[in-house]
Amino acid sequence: MKYQTQRVALAYFAVALALFAIQVTAGLLAGWIYVVPDTLSVLLPFNIVRMLHTNALIVWLLLGFFGAAYYLIPEESETEIYSTRLAYLQLVILVVGTLGAVVGYLFRIHEGREFLEQPLWVKLGIVVAALIFLFNVTVTVLKGRKTAITNVLLLGLWGIAVFFLFALYNPDNLGVDKLYWWYVVHIWVEGVWELVMAAILAFLMLKMTGVDREVIEKWLYAIVALSLFTGLLGTGHHYYWIGAPGYWQWVGSIFSSLEILPFFAMVLFTFAMVWKRRREHPNNAALLWSLGCAVLAFFGGGIWGFMHTLHGVNYYTHGTQVTAAHGHLAFFGAYVCLNLAIITYAMPHLLDRAPYNQVLNMISFWIMAGAMSFMTFTLTFAGVVQVHLQRVLGQGFMEVQDQLALFYQMRFGSGVAVAIGAILFLYSVLVPRRAEVIGRGPAAPTVTPAE
């Protein structure tokens, strides 16, 4: 380990993986409730289970981003993190806030805004933690080498913090609330998070392919431009039916249709870098997750997003299982795979081991990617049936839900497969092989983090 303060990332990755396990478990329970609706209906109603599922997803992804930043910034800036104490303080605040939010949800103490249900004191704690983080990493970058990767990463991380401030604004008017609510929910995942994604992928490609930094930086800037150009105005596809002026239907349709471009550019970027690679890196599992991230993000965020983003189509599909299909594959491809890629790459360095359990790690990728793809197709077909029966023929919501039972059973089966893949992943990165424990394992890889 060239920079000792990189070990801060290990604590972030550990907590992130714990929340990843909780998120998958809550999702599995939510899927089962679709099959047997009365499950835990009094003790743990569906809306609470869904809060745990979505909030655990958001928090563990953010912790993964923070851990990735603490891992890659020292290498890119060629200097140690400014303060490890601040980094651990930030983590403690986030963990306390997360536990407080969970306890609040279980006792029905929460705000009614989807994805932003956290009590006010938790939101304020998140703001404090974000300020600590931004100070820590920004000072680190300013005192060291500046690169395109750190610049884009900081832009994305600052964007996450700035747009989260709109979570503190909760107007009484529901239409106005939704206008600003989407500033967090959309601009995060279809705007500034994409910058973080591009920066981390660029770092991984730089380390694992040996392609010249100048080539990678050109691709990175092109992806950033496309992400900001399409993502910001693409927010308009959420303004179709909330009472906003009619021109948003055209602005949203045009620019959100173009949101497929940055995802396609990431596919071209990652595969082009692997094609031109000048070295064979020993961590094949991290490379697989990186390529899978770009491909699945393109299909989930790009193709499935485009399928129902035009206002004429969205009029029928909005709020159906088509939306759930898009959301599941987009989040898994773009951000879950991204975090698992950087964790797979960093763990051997953080734990001072050679890349280990790689076959098991790659098996976990194919299981989770295949299961999530199957879930996406299942929900897509369910959504098409739902649109026809409910939005076209006018049948009642619950009447239609009864006719989707087979799709929900298949969705639960794919959720079980995702959980199995998650268990295999956790085992592969956290549990060393026996030979490595007793000192008979393979030597450390010849490619060091600094390379």
Side-chain angles (χ1 to χ4, degrees):
M1 181 65 62
K2 185 175 181 180
Y3 298 98
Q4 292 303 311
T5 52
Q6 283 181 295
R7 294 194 181 277
V8 171
L10 182 59
Y12 279 82
F13 289 153
V15 177
L17 290 176
L19 288 173
F20 173 49
I22 293 173
Q23 182 239 327
V24 172
T25 302
L28 200 60
L29 177 57
W32 178 249
I33 292 175
Y34 267 95
V35 178
V36 184
D38 289 337
T39 303
L40 299 176
S41 57
V42 176
L43 179 63
L44 202 61
F46 177 79
N47 69 307
I48 302 299
V49 175
R50 186 175 183 271
M51 283 184 199
L52 296 175
H53 179 54
T54 56
N55 280 247
L57 169 69
I58 294 169
V59 175
W60 94 258
L61 292 179
L62 288 173
L63 287 171
F65 293 165
F66 296 151
Y70 283 127
Y71 179 81
L72 71 85
I73 283 178
E75 288 194 30
E76 285 294 294
S77 300
E78 297 182 342
T79 185
E80 299 284 2
I81 294 293
Y82 173 74
S83 173
T84 57
R85 290 184 179 181
L86 287 177
Y88 287 120
L89 174 61
Q90 173 203 345
L91 181 60
V92 169
I93 293 174
L94 291 172
V95 170
V96 170
T98 301
L99 293 176
V102 170
V103 172
Y105 297 161
L106 294 177
F107 288 94
R108 316 298 191 264
I109 302 172
H110 56 80
E111 293 187 5
R113 309 172 78 197
E114 187 180 12
F115 304 126
L116 301 177
E117 299 96 346
Q118 308 85 19
L120 178 61
W121 71 269
V122 173
K123 288 188 173 74
L124 294 175
I126 292 173
V127 171
V128 172
L131 291 174
I132 293 173
F133 171 73
L134 291 174
F135 171 79
N136 208 3
V137 294
T138 302
V139 171
T140 302
V141 171
L142 290 177
K143 72 175 183 177
R145 181 182 64 163
K146 286 78 174 174
T147 69
I149 292 175
T150 55
N151 290 341
V152 171
L153 182 63
L154 281 183
L155 179 61
L157 294 170
W158 272 94
I160 290 173
V162 169
F163 284 102
F164 181 75
L165 295 177
F166 289 97
L168 303 176
Y169 179 52
N170 190 2
D172 294 330
N173 184 286
L174 185 60
V176 176
D177 169 52
K178 287 299 182 182
L179 283 170
Y180 293 104
W181 181 80
W182 284 113
Y183 278 20
V184 184
V185 178
H186 171 94
I187 295 180
W188 261 24
V189 300
E190 297 176 62
V192 292
W193 279 29
E194 288 184 22
L195 305 189
V196 175
M197 175 186 175
I200 295 175
L201 276 180
F203 174 80
L204 290 169
M205 291 298 103
L206 180 68
K207 296 298 179 181
M208 291 190 291
T209 66
V211 174
D212 290 341
R213 181 180 291 273
E214 291 77 11
V215 175
I216 289 177
E217 288 180 347
K218 289 177 182 178
W219 276 97
L220 181 58
Y221 283 130
I223 292 170
V224 169
L226 287 172
S227 298
L228 292 177
F229 174 70
T230 61
L232 296 178
L233 287 174
T235 310
H237 70 240
H238 298 296
Y239 292 170
Y240 293 160
W241 323 119
I242 64 172
Y247 59 75
W248 279 112
Q249 294 185 14
W250 291 103
V251 173
S253 294
I254 293 171
F255 285 93
S256 62
S257 297
L258 297 175
E259 286 186 64
I260 195 173
L261 296 179
F263 289 115
F264 184 60
M266 288 186 196
V267 175
L268 295 179
F269 165 61
T270 52
F271 279 85
M273 295 306 99
V274 172
W275 179 261
K276 296 178 180 179
R277 60 183 169 181
R278 297 162 53 186
R279 71 160 64 106
E280 293 293 330
H281 196 277
N283 199 330
N284 293 313
L287 188 62
L288 176 63
W289 279 106
S290 301
L291 294 174
C293 169
V295 172
L296 293 174
F298 169 68
F299 280 100
I303 300 297
W304 256 257
F306 178 78
M307 282 172 56
H308 71 137
T309 196
L310 298 176
H311 65 268
V313 177
N314 189 265
Y315 179 79
Y316 294 96
T317 61
H318 182 75
T320 66
Q321 295 299 324
V322 174
T323 304
H326 159 59
H328 277 80
L329 189 59
F331 263 102
F332 177 79
Y335 304 120
V336 172
C337 286
L338 178 70
N339 270 352
L340 299 186
I342 188 64
I343 289 172
T344 298
Y345 175 81
M347 277 302 200
H349 303 147
L350 294 173
L351 298 176
D352 294 325
R353 301 182 196 142
Y356 52 95
N357 290 333
Q358 286 203 70
V359 173
L360 191 62
N361 191 306
M362 290 188 280
I363 290 173
S364 75
F365 166 81
W366 289 113
I367 291 175
M368 280 193 275
M372 191 58 68
S373 299
F374 182 80
M375 183 186 297
T376 300
F377 281 107
T378 298
L379 291 174
T380 301
F381 290 128
V384 171
V385 173
Q386 183 183 7
V387 166
H388 180 70
L389 296 179
Q390 183 178 328
R391 301 284 169 84
V392 178
L393 298 184
Q395 295 184 16
F397 176 80
M398 292 308 298
E399 181 184 4
V400 172
Q401 293 301 302
D402 289 339
Q403 300 181 66
L404 300 180
L406 177 61
F407 295 108
Y408 292 151
Q409 292 168 10
M410 291 191 291
R411 192 259 294 273
F412 177 73
S414 61
V416 172
V418 170
I420 293 172
I423 292 171
L424 293 178
F425 179 87
L426 293 172
Y427 182 89
S428 71
V429 298
L430 297 177
V431 180
R433 290 179 298 195
R434 177 177 172 78
E436 291 172 341
V437 173
I438 63 178
R440 295 198 302 267
T446 55
V447 180
T448 65
E451 295 175 341

